[in-house]
Amino acid sequence: MAIAVVVLAGGEWLERRRADTAARSTLRAELTVLANNLRTEIEKSVDLGRGLAAVIAAQKGITSGSFDAACAQLLRDEVKIRNVALVVGSKITFNCPLGPNRGTIGINLRDHPDQWQSFERMRRTGQPDVAGPANLIQGGWSIIVRIPIIMRSANHPPVFWGALSMPLRMQGLFAQAGITDASQFIKLAIRGNRNATLAPEVLLGDPSVFAGDAVAVEIPFPDGAWHVAALIPPSKLGPESTPHLLTLVAAITCAALFFVIAAYADRRQRLESEANRSRDLLRAFMENAPVAMYVKDVDGRYIDLNAEARRAFRVGDQPYAGHRLEDFFDQSLSSDLLEDDLKARAGEVVRTERNSKQGQAYSWEREIKFPVLDKQGQVIAIGGYVFDISAGKEAEIRLVRALRAAEDANRAKSEFLATMSHELRTPLNAIIGFSDVIQREVFGPINNPTYKGYIDDIHQSGQQLLDLLGGIIDLSAVESGRIEVKHEAVQSADVLADCRALAEAMAKERQHHLDIVDRAAGACLADRRLLRQVILNLASNAAKYTKKGGRIEISTRDDGATLTFCVIDSGVGMTAEEIEKAMQPFTRLGDTMRAEVGGSGIGLTLVKRLVEAMGGHLNIESKPGQGTRVEVSMPKPPTGGVNAA
């Protein structure tokens, strides 16, 4: 008898144990469904935010009115969304509805550590982020869905522009996930963190659930994990008999199955409804976009055209679905567009710019064509944007024409100066020659000293004018490209020897001490005649702008790849601004000594142009009152020598 009692008791214990295991398994399945429903509702909010973020990125931003209009419909149809905020950079710029959220405008999320951790994670990864439950700036707490807004352009990498921030109402979220209804039949609770720095707290239900022998299911989030837990009803823990146990298990299984099927059907219906709303919202933005937008299938048949595309392609109100490129464009353009389609179908983003020659709405256009991929990365469609760049291109063409006109005018000026200078030199040579004869009294003495002074002035003025015309001729020849440069290996000693007599005469006339030193004793690649003119011009400037008794040095230096000629004086010197001004043609500096010396103001300009024409480099260092150092660096000839050109 005792053995029978033990056996029966053991069997009852085993039945109760199996009943408990079955009840826990069933309850865990129910909680798993609720947890999945909760994540599904959050993911739907993420998908809604993606659509709105894509429209804002495509339009390179959004106005306050357009943002409020888009969000108003979103908030009206989706009760679980508390509000929608637009964050530009890290500052809250728009918030809809504005009334209860007005105080958030202008707030920088960097100043709120409990908000910034999630925002920075989203900005760094470029992917949507779900945070919370988190304390809201405007009060209260909720789960916050954040969607990044990435700006893309033809010639630059993607750039993070801002984000959409959508706090979710907890009660609305629990209700749409079916948790509120389930809590009426089973004793359940949800525990989680408001942020990573706080201990877990109960967000829904009785905290005592977690103190008992509860069944719990984890809901992972980026900021930590939530747990939804429930207690098994006492009536399900101890069946009085095996049939009763089997009946309870069957009832629970059927209920769970019915609950799962009902939840799945409800979820499917909500997803379809949400997809329809998202499609309508995207369609509204697409229709009102100021750029032509289109979508076609992988076989090249048009699926959708927005209003601007129908206008640009001259489609009007005629049906376009199913049509191909050749139905809208001529054969030449269709061939080019078809090549771009093939590249997009292969997964490439194609950017093109073209001049429309078939009389369409855009005379110049820029097109971005891209593949549309499914979750497996397969191309399922081809999308594109077409921008009207006619105004910018026409402005560019006008600018190029104006530049060419300016170049032609400058060339005509140089040719005019060269021509007129040649015409003036002929009578000047006669004036200088006859005045020189009279000045030297070749045919008899001039008894009146006043006349002798006049003839000296005539001869000096004619000589100065002849020098000026010579400089203008040389400068015009350089600017018009008519100067002939004969490149050859020129010895530094030969150039200094060519310049020595005239340089010594100029120095002696003004009582300067002159040193001519050939430290390089090598050759450079230059035109000997032009290089001699450059050195003499620099020596003349040094002599004129150095007070009597000054020092002038003309020397050479070997710099490895170049040979440098240096002209150094102890003259009046110049500031950096005066050096830049002196390099401009027909410009003279205004101090007293320069006014006494006179001149045309083209000496340094001519030197610079001649040096550059020979392939050299001119460098000027000067300080007021400390003199000037001018260096002319010329390349050395190649090892094998150079032929005259």
Side-chain angles (χ1 to χ4, degrees):
M1 185 68 180
I3 295 175
V5 170
V6 171
V7 171
L8 289 175
E12 182 67 17
W13 181 83
L14 289 175
E15 286 294 330
R16 293 176 65 88
R17 183 68 180 267
R18 281 194 294 269
D20 178 74
T21 301
R24 285 181 174 274
S25 177
T26 301
L27 184 57
R28 185 178 301 277
E30 294 176 0
L31 295 181
T32 300
V33 170
L34 295 176
N36 289 337
N37 287 348
L38 183 62
R39 288 188 59 84
T40 297
E41 291 300 325
I42 295 174
E43 289 171 358
K44 284 166 52 179
S45 301
V46 171
D47 291 338
L48 288 174
R50 284 181 187 271
L52 183 56
V55 172
I56 295 174
Q59 292 187 336
K60 305 301 182 184
I62 193 170
T63 64
S64 175
S66 298
F67 182 79
D68 289 343
C71 294
Q73 181 178 353
L74 189 65
L75 295 175
R76 183 170 59 252
D77 296 337
E78 195 60 50
V79 296
K80 67 174 176 287
I81 299 179
R82 185 183 187 276
N83 63 281
V84 182
L86 177 62
V87 182
V88 179
S90 60
K91 288 186 178 180
I92 299 177
T93 304
F94 302 141
N95 207 332
C96 179
L98 182 60
N101 303 292
R102 188 180 300 275
T104 65
I105 302 302
I107 287 179
N108 194 324
L109 295 183
R110 292 180 181 272
D111 302 329
H112 296 266
D114 54 340
Q115 297 276 349
W116 179 248
Q117 181 179 7
S118 167
F119 189 89
E120 173 61 12
R121 180 172 60 235
M122 173 216 58
R123 186 190 66 81
R124 185 178 63 255
T125 63
Q127 297 297 323
D129 191 88
V130 179
N135 294 316
L136 299 177
I137 297 172
Q138 60 269 47
W141 56 278
S142 74
I143 292 178
I144 302 177
V145 174
R146 292 189 171 94
I147 310 297
I149 301 174
I150 307 299
M151 294 299 182
R152 306 176 188 275
S153 60
N155 300 318
H156 301 282
V159 176
F160 176 83
W161 181 79
L164 289 174
S165 183
M166 300 191 303
L168 305 181
R169 289 189 176 92
M170 301 302 295
Q171 294 304 322
L173 183 61
F174 291 151
Q176 289 191 340
I179 296 176
T180 303
D181 293 338
S183 64
Q184 298 178 9
F185 304 98
I186 56 176
K187 189 176 183 179
L188 61 78
I190 297 178
R191 182 170 64 184
N193 300 66
R194 293 198 183 183
N195 62 57
T197 63
L198 298 178
E201 61 182 310
V202 176
L203 308 176
L204 177 71
D206 188 348
S208 64
V209 171
F210 290 94
D213 186 17
V215 176
V217 174
E218 184 180 88
I219 309 174
F221 288 101
D223 281 339
W226 293 12
H227 291 86
V228 55
L231 294 174
I232 302 174
S235 60
K236 298 183 180 182
L237 293 178
E240 296 179 356
S241 64
T242 299
H244 181 61
L245 177 63
L246 294 176
T247 302
L248 289 177
V249 171
I252 292 174
T253 302
C254 291
L257 182 60
F258 174 79
F259 189 80
V260 169
I261 294 174
Y264 175 78
D266 180 65
R267 176 191 175 191
R268 183 180 181 87
Q269 183 179 3
R270 286 200 301 268
L271 287 176
E272 290 178 353
S273 176
E274 193 57 48
N276 291 334
R277 285 195 294 269
S278 299
R279 184 172 59 251
D280 293 341
L281 179 62
L282 182 60
R283 182 64 187 173
F285 275 99
M286 186 173 174
E287 275 297 295
N288 292 281
V291 299
M293 304 169 65
Y294 63 85
V295 181
K296 60 176 71 173
D297 62 24
V298 292
D299 293 325
R301 291 185 292 266
Y302 283 97
I303 299 173
D304 201 0
L305 297 174
N306 72 342
E308 179 63 16
R310 294 194 297 273
R311 185 190 71 83
F313 299 169
R314 302 195 184 282
V315 174
D317 296 329
Q318 63 178 310
Y320 58 82
H323 286 262
R324 298 179 181 272
L325 290 168
E326 53 268 22
D327 298 326
F328 300 141
F329 310 107
D330 62 24
Q331 184 177 0
S332 175
L333 182 56
S334 296
S335 299
D336 295 338
L337 296 177
L338 182 57
E339 291 183 7
D340 294 343
D341 282 1
L342 295 176
K343 294 177 182 178
R345 192 187 305 170
E348 181 181 348
V349 177
V350 184
R351 296 175 174 85
T352 54
E353 184 176 299
R354 66 177 66 90
N355 178 214
S356 180
K357 300 178 180 179
Q358 71 282 2
Q360 288 187 266
Y362 302 161
S363 56
W364 281 92
E365 61 187 28
R366 179 180 294 117
E367 182 177 15
I368 301 175
K369 187 173 296 186
F370 54 89
V372 180
L373 309 177
D374 61 11
K375 292 183 178 180
Q376 288 72 39
Q378 299 297 318
V379 178
I380 59 175
I382 299 172
Y385 306 99
V386 183
F387 302 87
D388 183 5
I389 60 171
S390 304
K393 276 293 182 181
E394 290 170 0
E396 179 182 335
I397 292 172
R398 289 195 297 270
L399 183 62
V400 171
R401 289 174 179 171
L403 179 61
R404 290 176 178 172
E407 293 174 347
D408 292 341
N410 184 63
R411 188 160 45 250
K413 177 264 296 180
S414 299
E415 293 176 354
F416 171 77
L417 288 176
T419 301
M420 291 304 299
S421 299
H422 279 292
E423 293 296 328
L424 292 172
R425 289 181 78 172
T426 300
L428 270 177
N429 285 328
I431 293 172
I432 293 171
F434 287 127
S435 62
D436 181 63
V437 170
I438 298 173
Q439 188 180 38
R440 291 188 289 114
E441 299 178 328
V442 173
F443 298 106
I446 300 174
N447 296 323
N448 192 323
T450 301
Y451 288 160
K452 186 172 180 59
Y454 289 164
I455 201 63
D456 291 341
D457 292 340
I458 292 172
H459 185 271
Q460 182 179 1
S461 298
Q463 191 64 51
Q464 290 177 351
L465 185 55
L466 185 62
D467 293 340
L468 172 61
L469 291 175
I472 292 175
I473 291 174
D474 292 337
L475 182 60
S476 300
V478 174
E479 289 186 341
S480 62
R482 297 187 303 179
I483 190 170
E484 182 180 351
V485 179
K486 181 182 179 182
H487 288 96
E488 57 184 346
V490 179
Q491 295 294 327
S492 58
D494 293 340
V495 176
L496 295 182
D498 292 344
C499 300
R500 180 179 296 275
L502 285 177
E504 288 177 346
M506 289 185 289
K508 182 177 181 181
E509 180 182 355
R510 293 169 176 79
Q511 301 177 10
H512 298 322
H513 177 75
L514 174 66
D515 288 329
I516 300 179
V517 184
D518 184 14
R519 297 188 179 96
C524 64
L525 188 62
D527 185 308
R528 180 170 176 175
R529 177 183 64 83
L530 297 181
L531 184 57
R532 178 174 63 248
Q533 182 178 352
V534 166
I535 302 303
L536 287 176
N537 279 6
L538 294 177
S540 175
N541 281 350
K544 289 191 292 185
Y545 298 119
T546 300
K547 294 181 180 180
K548 288 185 177 181
R551 297 186 62 85
I552 299 174
E553 178 183 298
I554 303 175
S555 61
T556 61
R557 183 180 72 244
D558 190 335
D559 290 330
T562 61
L563 190 148
T564 301
F565 293 83
C566 303
V567 179
I568 307 170
D569 65 59
S570 60
V572 294
M574 297 177 288
T575 64
E577 291 77 10
E578 289 175 333
I579 293 175
E580 183 176 356
K581 185 178 179 181
M583 298 303 293
Q584 303 302 318
F586 307 105
T587 302
R588 301 187 65 253
L589 304 181
D591 57 62
T592 304
M593 181 175 182
R594 293 186 178 94
E596 292 176 352
V597 171
S600 62
I602 62 174
L604 278 180
T605 304
L606 180 59
V607 166
K608 184 175 185 298
R609 303 287 171 81
L610 290 176
V611 171
E612 292 174 349
M614 291 186 289
H617 175 71
L618 178 70
N619 182 58
I620 301 177
E621 298 177 1
S622 184
K623 290 185 179 180
Q626 299 183 23
T628 300
R629 179 189 188 93
V630 184
E631 295 184 348
V632 177
S633 299
M634 301 302 299
K636 289 184 177 180
T639 305
V642 63
N643 296 324

